[in-house]
Amino acid sequence: MEKSGMDKDIAYDDSEAESYESDSASDLEKAQTWRRRSPNRFQRRDATSSYSSSSRETSGSHQRLLHTSPVKRKSGFYGYRIPPKVAKYMCWAVLSTLIIFVLFLIRASYTSSRQVENGTVEKSPPKPPPWEAFPFLKRYHGGIRSLVGKKASVPEYPREDERGQNITAESRPPKQETKPVPKSVVFNPYSAVDGNHGERHECFLDQDGKVKIPRVHYYPGVMNGFPDPIMGSHEVLGLRNDMCFERFGRLGPYGYGYSVKRGGTGAGLYGDREGAEDIWTDSGSVSEVDYRDIVWAEVQATCANKNAKRFHPLEKATGNLFLDLGVESAQAKDGVEDPAPVEDDSTVGKREITDVPTSKNESTTEKKEPEKRITLLPRTAILIRTWWDFHYTVEDVLYLRSLITELSLLSGGEFTVHFLVHVRDDNVPIWADKKIYDRVLENALPAEFRGMGVLWSERQMGLIYGGIQESFFRDLPVHGVYRSTFMPVQYFSHQHPEYDFVWNWEMDVRYTGHWYHFFDQIRKWTKAQPRKGLWERNGRFYIPSVHGSWEDFKQMVRVQTEMGTDSPNNIWSSLKSTNPSNTNSPAAPQSKADKSIWGPEPPPDVLPAQENPTPPTTYEKDHYEWGVGEESDLITFNPLFDPDGTTWFFTEDITGYNTTASLPPRRAAITTTSRLSKRLLTIMHRETVLKRHTMFSEMWPASVSLHHGLKAVYAPHPMYIDRRWPPSYLAAVMNGGRNGASGGARTSVYGGREHNFKGTT
């Protein structure tokens, strides 16, 4: 009988097993290998065979007599076995992919770090600030044909409705019918006899006194619906806000509106020229001035000499080129003798001189006329900051002519204009050779302004103010113009003590009104400010539509300082490190109220007090009297905020002070345009020379004033804005610091939130 296929397989397996058992022990490994190659066959054998393939197994004779059929198992799933060659290629592919991925990560990390260093990181556009959603104002450009009286005009902004809605059709100013251009009027803020300061002698644009100075013209009234300033106030400072200046009336006297062949600038010759000729026809004998022949240095010196008796007598300046920066006083330059010296009192600008008979033979018994007492005026210098390769446009020339004419000539020499020219190449030794100095200075200014310049360089400041620790804060040198703007100013004052005050004036500052009117009113208002609560008021923006009158604002600041506020911004003001070297130390708990500043606030290592003013009484007993009538040592056009705790970039740019325990108290005012007294500049000079102290430019004068108890005042000049900000929201943003101030907390507008100033002017 033939065996089935399965039996054949089993028989085949048994025969092979028997032959394998007869082999020697050395063939055991081969048998095991063979078994691994034929697992299915061994399974079948194990289930049916009656013999043992190993001595360790039980003999088949001990099995049961009744042979049980093998248990049928479900056949398992056995995956396809990848061929070795294919597996090898797959392993190489996975390994190559991993290597390429790692290399890609390394390259991406390097590229990202380089982009961060170069500042070229592409970021998703940030969310626009809320003020960009506010609508633009529309009544800034109404034209001179829409002029109405100030009281008749309804300002477009700010309104009582603070929700920021557009003006409805009913509330818009009525459309004006076409009217002829009104006649312009001469603006004259001067007087022939200025109080007790003596007679002001007229000055001219030539040496012979034949070319009269043309005057600025204005139009009475304002454009219908013209917005009011949102910050600052005309009324508080005494500035006029009931008139309108137009391009021909404002700039025409300085060469705007007529050709170069006639001595003008050639600008304004085309387009609408209505009213352009009024400034010449209404000025009597004054005609268009040929400015090609004007030498401003000579004209300014002549005017100063004619009015010399109205001012303090000159103090002799040094004649060394290296020391005095190459400037001589106007009187010394023309060989004019100084007036006789007079007694000086403790208040700057209030020295008096008495005119008495000069005849030696006059009898003492004769009846004499009452003595005429004259209060001498202080001398003020205006330093226009520029550099040696600055390109002067037509607009720049018009602007400079207006400054010199209105501040120096028409005032009778109350101001003297100089150009403080920065030589940017430190390898030019302007301090060592006069020929080099003269050559550089001649090429640095337009021909009409030559003789008014003063050169300086950063290397020169490094020689004068040596020994200052170099920190390269934000990769900038400590003697550089950006970090130490006032170094050349304080040294200029040190070498020219004839100037009681110095204005540091930037080239990019513009004012649409009259220069003398603005400067004079600022001086008078700051002089009348009391010292009580002054530093606290200095640290806030004045917003009339929110704060009310100036008196209301003053009392509000007092309450905020003495009692504190519940503003959530105070939370951020407490995040101050008590030790600058340990940024992880917790801040000390702060009280809700602030300490009022009363007198000097010196750090431990400040220059010893010499001329520091002291309060005549306590803060509580003073009735807003101390400081009234005192000239300000520092005048700024932005609040003097506390940079401590803010995100302002230069709050820690402090050099030479002991900062182991804490940073010194300090204040700052954005932009360096300011007026500084000789007393302040002298202290700044001595602090730098003797103590090696200095700070960032916008922080240095204000902090020195704070340390030495000098009078510093922020003048709240009118500021306009181009969008319809809700006034209450604007006040919260601008005064977003501690206790309603503009600084002292991370929520301050200074630093990362300065974008809110866009659109202000």
Side-chain angles (χ1 to χ4, degrees):
M1 184 176 178
E2 296 181 0
K3 295 181 180 181
S4 63
M6 181 177 295
D7 294 336
K8 292 180 180 179
D9 293 338
I10 296 174
Y12 176 76
D13 294 339
D14 293 339
S15 63
E16 288 182 345
E18 291 174 358
S19 64
Y20 170 74
E21 290 177 348
S22 65
D23 291 337
S24 62
S26 60
D27 294 334
L28 179 61
E29 183 178 356
K30 295 181 180 180
Q32 291 175 350
T33 302
W34 183 87
R35 287 179 181 178
R36 288 195 299 268
R37 293 179 179 177
S38 306
N40 294 336
R41 295 175 181 176
F42 277 106
Q43 289 177 1
R44 294 173 184 173
R45 183 204 66 187
D46 293 338
T48 60
S49 176
S50 61
Y51 67 89
S52 173
S53 61
S54 175
S55 61
R56 296 178 181 274
E57 296 180 2
T58 306
S59 175
S61 60
H62 293 284
Q63 296 180 358
R64 295 179 180 180
L65 295 177
L66 297 177
H67 180 74
T68 59
S69 60
V71 180
K72 294 184 178 180
R73 300 178 180 178
K74 295 182 180 180
S75 59
F77 175 78
Y78 299 96
Y80 174 74
R81 186 171 182 270
I82 301 175
K85 190 173 183 179
V86 176
K88 180 178 68 174
Y89 288 137
M90 291 182 64
C91 290
W92 278 110
V94 172
L95 180 61
S96 301
T97 302
L98 290 175
I99 293 174
I100 293 173
F101 180 69
V102 171
L103 293 176
F104 173 78
L105 291 178
I106 294 174
R107 176 176 176 78
S109 176
Y110 173 78
T111 303
S112 177
S113 63
R114 293 296 298 173
Q115 288 178 345
V116 171
E117 293 176 1
N118 299 330
T120 58
V121 180
E122 296 183 1
K123 300 180 180 179
S124 57
K127 184 179 179 180
W131 56 264
E132 290 192 6
F134 301 149
F136 285 99
L137 301 176
K138 301 178 181 180
R139 296 298 303 170
Y140 278 119
H141 309 285
I144 57 177
R145 287 184 172 84
S146 65
L147 294 178
V148 296
K150 175 62 178 176
K151 295 182 178 180
S153 175
V154 179
E156 176 189 11
Y157 176 81
R159 307 292 289 269
E160 294 182 359
D161 181 9
E162 297 185 4
R163 294 173 296 176
Q165 302 295 329
N166 289 322
I167 298 180
T168 60
E170 293 77 8
S171 61
R172 286 178 181 169
K175 186 176 179 180
Q176 298 291 327
E177 299 179 357
T178 303
K179 300 188 301 184
V181 176
K183 286 291 184 179
S184 60
V185 182
V186 174
F187 182 68
N188 182 20
Y190 313 95
S191 59
V193 179
D194 186 11
N196 297 325
H197 303 310
E199 182 180 358
R200 179 187 290 113
H201 298 282
E202 183 180 3
C203 298
F204 298 87
L205 292 177
D206 63 335
Q207 297 289 332
D208 300 329
K210 296 181 180 180
V211 181
K212 288 190 175 183
I213 301 174
R215 298 301 183 93
V216 172
H217 284 57
Y218 72 96
Y219 293 98
V222 297
M223 290 179 289
N224 197 0
F226 191 82
D228 285 339
I230 185 61
M231 291 179 284
S233 171
H234 290 88
E235 293 82 358
V236 169
L237 297 179
L239 299 172
R240 291 187 58 179
N241 62 345
D242 59 345
M243 57 185 182
C244 175
F245 288 100
E246 194 262 349
R247 53 177 179 156
F248 290 110
R250 184 67 186 87
L251 301 176
Y254 310 115
Y256 183 86
Y258 56 99
S259 66
V260 177
K261 293 182 179 181
R262 295 157 59 186
T265 61
L269 295 177
Y270 305 100
D272 186 5
R273 289 179 50 83
E274 288 185 288
E277 302 299 330
D278 292 345
I279 61 175
W280 308 114
T281 58
D282 295 345
S283 299
S285 59
V286 178
S287 59
E288 295 176 348
V289 178
D290 187 353
Y291 283 98
R292 294 173 296 179
D293 301 329
I294 302 298
V295 181
W296 291 103
E298 298 177 358
V299 172
Q300 184 173 237
T302 302
C303 184
N305 293 333
K306 293 177 64 175
N307 295 274
K309 291 186 177 181
R310 302 175 63 232
F311 304 96
H312 293 162
L314 289 172
E315 299 181 32
K316 187 63 177 179
T318 58
N320 185 280
L321 177 66
F322 172 74
L323 296 177
D324 65 4
L325 304 175
V327 175
E328 298 180 6
S329 65
Q331 286 79 354
K333 196 170 186 179
D334 288 3
V336 178
E337 295 183 359
D338 298 338
V342 296
E343 295 293 331
D344 188 9
D345 62 14
S346 59
T347 305
V348 177
K350 296 188 67 175
R351 291 177 285 189
E352 295 182 348
I353 183 172
T354 302
D355 294 339
V356 297
T358 58
S359 175
K360 296 182 180 179
N361 299 325
E362 185 176 3
S363 173
T364 57
T365 59
E366 295 180 2
K367 185 178 180 179
K368 299 180 181 180
E369 297 181 358
E371 294 181 353
K372 181 180 180 182
R373 303 181 65 86
I374 299 177
T375 303
L376 298 181
L377 292 170
R379 297 180 185 271
T380 304
I382 298 178
L383 297 184
I384 300 175
R385 305 302 297 268
T386 182
W387 51 95
W388 69 335
D389 55 351
F390 182 84
H391 174 67
Y392 293 87
T393 63
V394 171
E395 194 271 338
D396 293 326
V397 173
L398 293 170
Y399 154 69
L400 294 172
R401 289 174 181 174
S402 67
L403 267 177
I404 300 171
T405 302
E406 297 168 15
L407 292 178
S408 181
L409 303 185
L410 291 175
S411 70
E414 293 183 24
F415 300 86
T416 304
V417 179
H418 295 288
F419 291 85
L420 195 58
V421 184
H422 179 199
V423 179
R424 293 185 170 182
D425 188 354
D426 286 339
N427 295 320
V428 179
I430 57 174
W431 62 87
D433 189 279
K434 189 175 187 305
K435 292 183 179 180
I436 296 177
Y437 186 97
D438 293 339
R439 174 175 55 81
V440 173
L441 185 57
E442 182 178 0
N443 298 328
L445 294 173
E448 60 183 288
F449 302 119
R450 288 174 184 169
M452 304 174 67
V454 181
L455 299 182
W456 75 279
S457 67
E458 295 179 5
R459 179 168 294 179
Q460 182 185 15
M461 293 299 106
L463 295 173
I464 296 173
Y465 295 108
I468 299 178
Q469 179 184 359
E470 180 59 85
S471 60
F472 283 103
F473 187 86
R474 293 185 176 267
D475 298 328
L476 297 170
V478 70
H479 292 96
V481 65
Y482 195 71
R483 291 181 60 194
S484 298
T485 302
F486 289 100
M487 276 189 180
V489 178
Q490 64 195 36
Y491 199 74
F492 176 90
S493 175
H494 176 70
Q495 292 300 322
H496 296 278
E498 65 268 22
Y499 295 115
D500 298 288
F501 302 99
V502 174
W503 279 97
N504 186 71
W505 205 253
E506 302 290 344
M507 266 296 298
D508 57 352
V509 177
R510 297 295 185 269
Y511 179 60
T512 56
H514 194 279
W515 288 113
Y516 183 82
H517 179 57
F518 179 72
F519 275 65
D520 190 52
Q521 293 303 125
I522 292 291
R523 181 189 65 84
K524 292 178 180 177
W525 185 82
T526 56
K527 185 178 180 179
Q529 294 308 298
R531 280 177 172 261
K532 186 173 183 178
L534 182 59
W535 282 103
E536 290 72 32
R537 296 191 297 274
N538 286 339
R540 291 163 170 81
F541 285 95
Y542 172 52
I543 304 174
S545 58
V546 176
H547 299 145
S549 66
W550 180 257
E551 185 64 27
D552 294 339
F553 173 70
K554 185 166 65 174
Q555 297 304 323
M556 180 200 72
V557 173
R558 180 185 62 82
V559 173
Q560 289 179 341
T561 303
E562 296 177 357
M563 302 183 63
T565 65
D566 293 327
S567 172
N569 298 333
N570 292 355
I571 300 176
W572 300 101
S573 68
S574 63
L575 300 181
K576 302 178 183 179
S577 176
T578 57
N579 188 343
S581 62
N582 182 11
T583 56
N584 296 324
S585 63
Q590 299 183 10
S591 62
K592 183 184 293 187
D594 291 326
K595 175 181 175 294
S596 299
I597 297 175
W598 189 244
E601 294 283 336
D605 56 343
V606 74
L607 191 71
Q610 296 180 357
E611 298 181 0
N612 295 353
T614 56
T617 183
T618 62
Y619 181 87
E620 293 75 12
K621 293 182 179 180
D622 182 79
H623 299 289
Y624 294 95
E625 296 174 351
W626 184 39
V628 176
E630 177 188 6
E631 289 282 2
S632 300
D633 293 286
L634 177 65
I635 299 176
T636 66
F637 296 115
N638 271 308
L640 294 159
F641 70 97
D642 181 4
D644 197 17
T646 67
T647 59
W648 189 50
F649 310 115
F650 304 100
T651 182
E652 296 182 357
D653 186 5
I654 301 168
T655 304
Y657 288 88
N658 184 2
T659 59
T660 304
S662 63
L663 298 177
R666 55 209 185 279
R667 294 293 184 271
I670 301 302
T671 75
T672 58
T673 300
S674 54
R675 193 193 78 168
L676 301 91
S677 69
K678 180 170 62 176
R679 177 169 62 175
L680 172 59
L681 290 169
T682 300
I683 296 176
M684 292 166 60
H685 170 74
R686 291 173 58 83
E687 285 277 2
T688 308
V689 171
L690 302 179
K691 304 294 288 187
R692 307 294 193 268
H693 289 169
T694 187
M695 295 184 187
F696 184 69
S697 300
E698 296 173 339
M699 193 162 49
W700 180 229
S703 298
V704 172
S705 300
L706 178 67
H707 297 167
H708 293 271
L710 305 184
K711 185 178 181 181
V713 184
Y714 154 56
H717 63 100
M719 295 177 62
Y720 295 87
I721 200 165
D722 64 345
R723 294 176 183 263
R724 185 178 297 280
W725 285 61
S728 58
Y729 173 72
L730 183 137
V733 171
M734 295 300 175
N735 293 328
R738 175 176 170 80
N739 281 336
S742 61
R746 293 184 61 84
T747 51
S748 169
V749 71
Y750 296 107
R753 294 174 173 82
E754 291 185 11
H755 61 84
N756 290 286
F757 287 108
K758 291 184 178 180
T760 59
T761 181

